Amino acid sequence: MRKGGYVALEAAGLVITALAAQTMIRGLLDRDSEVLWSILDWVPGGLTGRLILLGCIALVGMVAGGWAHTRQRPNTGRAGDSAGSRGRGKL
């Protein structure tokens, strides 16, 4: 995958995580609201089942975004990277 693909996957993971987590929190705080406009009515278990599904979706989005972030290969070292000190002799 090219760098643009990793960036797109990271962005999609971020968006999915943010939306699913927000919807899950809103469902916890306002029990009378319809979670995602009743799109998830097919999920068994009522509100609890819907919130578990949203939590799993948020977790998958977070893992996908994090994986894509670690796979990007920057041209320069990151702050705090100790790669420059490898191979030096003792002082």
Side-chain angles (χ1 to χ4, degrees):
M1 190 182 311
R2 293 184 178 174
K3 186 174 180 178
Y6 289 124
V7 171
L9 183 60
E10 182 180 3
L14 265 168
V15 169
I16 290 170
T17 301
L19 293 176
Q22 177 192 13
T23 305
M24 191 173 112
I25 291 170
R26 185 173 291 186
L28 281 171
L29 296 177
D30 187 11
R31 300 239 178 214
D32 296 331
S33 70
E34 296 180 17
V35 178
L36 283 180
W37 309 282
S38 300
I39 293 173
L40 299 177
D41 281 345
W42 57 270
V43 177
L47 181 64
T48 305
R50 292 181 203 129
L51 293 179
I52 290 172
L53 177 66
L54 283 170
C56 291
I57 291 171
L59 184 64
V60 166
M62 188 170 31
V63 168
W67 179 83
H69 181 76
T70 59
R71 294 293 177 195
Q72 292 178 22
R73 295 189 180 174
N75 294 335
T76 60
R78 294 183 180 168
D81 189 10
S82 62
S85 63
R86 291 184 187 153
R88 293 184 181 177
K90 292 183 181 180
L91 295 177

